[in-house]
Amino acid sequence: MAAEGDPARLGRALLALPGWEEAQAKLADFARGKFGKNGCEALGEDAEALAALAAEIRPLLNHLRELDPDAHARARSVLHELVAAVHARLRRRGIASFGALLRGARDLLRDEGVRSAVRGELQQLLVDEFQDTDALQCEILEALALDEPERPHPVLFLVGDPKQSIYGWRNADLRAYQRLRDRIEAGAGSVVPLVVNFRSAPAILEEVTRLVEPVMEPVHGLQPAFEALAPSEQTRGQAGYTDGDRGPVEHWLPARLDPETAALDAGRGLEERALDEARAVAADVADLAARGVELDQIAVLHRVTAGFEPVLEALREQGIPYLVERESDFYQRREILDVVALVRCVLDSHDHLALVAALRSSAVGVPDAAWLPLWRENFPERVGAIDGTDTERLAVARAAARRAAGALPPDVPEAAALEGWPHALDDFLQALHELRGRYEREAPEAFTERLRERFALEASEASRHLGEHRVANLDRFFRDLVLALDQAAGSAASLVSFLRRAGSVAREHNEGRPRAPSGPAVQVLTIHRAKGLDWKHVYLLGVDRAHRATDPKGTSVVRRAGDLGFVLFGWPEPALPVLSAEREAVEAAERVRLLYVATTRAKERLVVGARIEKLRPWRQARTFAQLLAVRDVDWAAVARGEGGHDGTARFRVVAPEPRSGARRPRPSAEVADATRVARDEQGLRAARAAARVHAQRPFASTASAEAHTREQRAQQQAGETETSLAPAFPEPPASSVPRDVARAAGTALHAVLEAGRADVTEVALERAVAAAAAPGQREAVLAHARTLWEGFAAGPLAGRLASLAPHVVARELPVWVEAEGDGEEDPVGFVAGAVDLLYRDPESGKLVVADYKTDAVAAERVDEHVERHRAQGAVYTRAVTRALALPEPPRFELWFLAAGVVRTLLP
């Protein structure tokens, strides 16, 4: 065995060998496949294998020069103590990363007692998107379902498509996936392929096969074998989108192309071609919209967000609404700059830069010629003196503004266009007076709403170019401002500091989406975010954007799935080249899978931005274009008008059109008269009042509370008093059990019945009571629960429940369904609950929803209590009907346990 430090000594010894530099140069030639004429003839078919071997050995030999294992080990030991201290501090603060949670769960499951307890509680274990798991998660799955097969364990059901494993940068590990799959196949498990596609037209699926199958080379644990997708019965006969001489699959080459030589216009680089491509897409989208295609059925995909801007610029030029998930220049938008300046003016009276920006905004519109007269009046100082309480200070500032406006020369060219600016400036000063000081006194929501209404920036921005997007972005900003105000906790300085930083650095942000009545919008997003989604029309652009290879020497950490390789203070660890090579192989394989995911998002039409590239092996390809070159297209023939399609796909050369430089004329805005303004104001006030009522409604409710609310409303409408309503668990006679005790006993009884056994032990009942009752009430609750249980066990319902055991579908089934009521107490989101018992009628086979009632009510009075539970049953049956797509609602039964009676409520 080599002694510590031998690798470094070996590297130095190699460097000292005579002719080592020449050997290194020769090895570099071999790695590039340069063997000379005689060498190629001698090697023959072995040349390619030798080149691959040289390419693999070369970085390892170079790595020996950098090694110093002793120094690396010392640095690692120092940093180990620091990392341990950081973890200890995080633990004391109650902070844990996602990885720490996974490691903690894995370590807990190594304890036999914990593992047995958890496995005993599980019957089935379903894992979706299994291809995105990592080695740590696979260890947890094995501990739960595969290890110790002789002991009780859940049935494991995995759903995953390795061809869609595209999250390697997030630790998804196809090796771990393959290892667990191999273990399942070697045991009693089975693998069932699912290849039927319910999304795309057959022509798109055929193109996916043409593009991806040749470059998806199967490598165990690295790349799965390609499986062609088959159209479903519903899509088998679909031709895709062909309107307007389009095809279901199109390849576009954005270029000026010599039709004889296929030579590209040398004067246009990557960015120019990207803009040409984006403008062609925007024009095509505009035509689709004119033909009736909804914009939200159109998506533009890029591999990285860096390629978004040409697309967004082209869509803006066409006036096409769009939704982009992440955009780094949100705080550079004109409307956002204006509103930030206005907010800063309100919060910081000494921010003169914000004052200038606010005065130039669309909300005020001070012309440039007014700056000198305003500053001669010491306008910044007078505006800064406005404090929201002293009206004299406001009057001084307004007087200064009027004098400055009067001093403006009459022949200023912009004066005619901005003749109303003094009135806007006067109103701005009045608004500052009304808003300053309110920040400390009002809640964030109230202050934001007051600021939003007072400046009316959204109204002015709505009339400008792409007004829908401007208004949507402002809405996004104001919602974020509420959160920022809340986080600032009354500190205006911290909020102003945040707003200043936001405008000075690029930060990713969700752009606002135009809302109704503006209509839907084109979605622009990355392929990673598009996974799991689909659209009728999909454009895949930016295929020539290369994936930047990372030099291990220029980084401090190399990540390969769960493994980390470090460079500490310039000293790399010995395994770094191996990890780097493995990571590059994973990235190359994932690039192929990313292409597969992108091309399978389209339902009716797929447009791929093409480039003229030379086909490269998938391990060497850095761009989609180098993979897509498997489509060997004669673009010169396409440019001549020949070979425009091959029976499946169409090919187009998208030549850039010369731009005149003149802007498209903007539609003139209609000026509303005073009557319409008054009518709109009245409608807005009514809408705001309705919105306040809507905002006060709860978002969610439970089925029992929903029933209680509806019954109360019905009784009040019938002239009954609220006190006539019985509680959800009706109280026994006054001499019996208090309501809270009865309620807790009922909860415990439900928990016992969830187990589905008629012979419940005293220990099980005590556990249920301990979970349902407060410590001081447990004895009373246990006594009442025992009485209820004994009555139930002695009555007819216990036997009925036992006889239904083979027909039970679910117990305590959680359900939720959209809320339907529009009353002031009705929820606006959803109604949730838990179905006590869902079973199939032994005679008819139809589903039945049963709800247990622990009301202490005599049998002869049951009918008085039935109707008050009808609304609750309606929620449960509606939820089950929708979830299971039943042709008709199931029967609803009320089981009154104390009375031993069942009542049926038909839908």
Side-chain angles (χ1 to χ4, degrees), residues 422-435:
H423 303 292
L425 177 57
D426 187 75
D427 186 69
F428 168 72
L429 297 175
Q430 179 66 36
L432 284 183
H433 176 71
E434 295 174 10
L435 291 168

Side-chain angles (χ1 to χ4, degrees), residues 881-901:
T881 302
R882 291 191 180 184
L884 302 180
L886 300 179
E888 59 184 15
R891 188 171 80 237
F892 179 62
E893 294 180 345
L894 291 167
W895 289 36
F896 290 90
L897 305 184
V901 173

Side-chain angles (χ1 to χ4, degrees), residues 722-806:
E722 186 176 346
T723 55
S724 66
L725 179 67
F729 289 97
E731 212 178 298
S735 60
S736 184
V737 182
R739 180 184 300 180
D740 53 350
V741 172
R743 190 182 296 271
T747 301
L749 198 61
H750 275 75
V752 169
L753 288 170
E754 184 182 353
R757 297 174 51 122
D759 54 335
V760 173
T761 64
E762 181 73 11
V763 174
L765 194 61
E766 288 178 356
R767 287 178 178 173
V769 168
Q777 291 183 324
R778 285 177 182 170
E779 289 188 11
V781 172
L782 179 59
H784 186 54
R786 189 182 296 117
T787 301
L788 288 174
W789 180 257
E790 290 172 353
F792 166 72
L797 296 189
R800 178 169 179 174
L801 183 61
S803 67
L804 289 176

Side-chain angles (χ1 to χ4, degrees), residues 632-649:
D632 189 13
V633 181
D634 186 351
W635 286 107
V638 174
R640 293 193 300 269
E642 307 165 5
H645 60 86
D646 63 358
T648 300

Side-chain angles (χ1 to χ4, degrees), residues 580-603:
S580 298
E582 288 183 355
R583 186 196 59 185
E584 288 181 5
V586 168
E587 290 175 349
E590 196 167 282
R591 193 171 300 114
V592 175
R593 299 196 290 270
L594 203 59
L595 177 62
Y596 173 81
V597 169
T599 52
T600 52
R601 300 305 95 196
K603 294 193 287 188

Side-chain angles (χ1 to χ4, degrees), residues 322-387:
Y322 59 82
L323 167 66
V324 56
E325 291 292 340
R326 296 156 71 90
E327 195 167 15
S328 58
D329 64 345
F330 177 82
Y331 277 91
Q332 303 301 320
R333 299 257 181 235
R334 180 73 262 166
E335 64 274 12
I336 302 302
L337 288 172
D338 287 350
V339 72
V340 167
L342 291 168
V343 175
R344 285 168 55 183
C345 270
V346 172
L347 298 179
D348 187 353
S349 59
H350 303 293
D351 192 337
H352 293 176
L353 183 62
L355 174 62
V356 172
L359 295 179
R360 292 178 62 92
S361 71
S362 62
V364 186
V366 173
D368 291 345
W371 295 118
L372 186 56
L374 285 171
W375 257 243
R376 284 174 175 167
E377 294 286 344
N378 294 321
F379 191 67
E381 290 77 10
R382 300 190 188 281
V383 174
I386 297 175
D387 60 2

Side-chain angles (χ1 to χ4, degrees), residues 4 9 160 169 173 331 382 417 445 475 514 682 688 768 783 853:
E4 184 73 24
R9 285 196 290 272
W169 51 274
D173 187 356
Y331 277 91
R382 300 190 188 281
E445 294 85 355
D475 180 68
Q682 185 177 5
R688 289 170 66 86
K853 294 302 175 186

Side-chain angles (χ1 to χ4, degrees), residues 396-590:
V396 170
R398 296 173 73 176
R402 286 194 296 270
R403 289 194 297 272
L408 195 67
D411 57 346
V412 174
E414 59 187 340
L418 299 172
E419 59 180 356
W421 71 267
H423 303 292
L425 177 57
D426 187 75
D427 186 69
F428 168 72
L429 297 175
Q430 179 66 36
L432 284 183
H433 176 71
E434 295 174 10
L435 291 168
R436 279 186 178 164
R438 289 186 176 272
Y439 170 70
E440 293 84 0
R441 304 194 303 270
E442 294 185 340
E445 294 85 355
F447 174 77
T448 301
E449 188 61 25
R450 187 181 298 277
L451 183 146
R452 187 175 190 167
E453 181 180 1
R454 189 60 185 81
F455 283 127
L457 190 63
E458 288 158 297
S460 60
E461 291 298 319
S463 63
R464 303 179 69 183
H465 182 53
L466 286 180
E468 299 96 334
H469 279 285
R470 294 174 181 271
V471 171
N473 287 338
L474 288 170
D475 180 68
R476 173 76 264 180
F477 171 82
F478 284 123
R479 280 185 279 138
D480 286 352
L481 181 62
V482 172
L483 298 177
L485 286 164
D486 188 55
Q487 293 172 359
S491 171
S494 63
L495 180 59
V496 170
S497 177
F498 162 76
L499 292 173
R500 287 172 179 162
R501 293 195 308 271
S504 62
V505 298
R507 59 177 67 229
E508 290 182 344
H509 200 283
N510 290 338
E511 170 153 328
R513 178 176 187 170
R515 300 171 296 170
S518 306
V522 175
Q523 296 187 59
V524 182
L525 65 170
T526 62
I527 301 170
H528 285 95
R529 287 186 172 257
K531 186 174 178 290
L533 305 176
D534 55 50
W535 298 267
K536 290 183 178 179
H537 297 258
V538 170
Y539 300 86
L540 175 59
L541 307 184
V543 298
D544 52 355
R545 287 192 174 271
H547 180 85
R548 185 181 301 172
T550 304
D551 182 4
K553 297 178 182 178
T555 184
S556 58
V557 181
V558 173
R559 181 185 295 274
R560 162 63 178 102
D563 300 324
L564 293 175
F566 293 95
V567 178
L568 303 179
F569 307 109
W571 299 308
E573 62 178 88
L576 199 66
V578 177
L579 289 175
S580 298
E582 288 183 355
R583 186 196 59 185
E584 288 181 5
V586 168
E587 290 175 349
E590 196 167 282

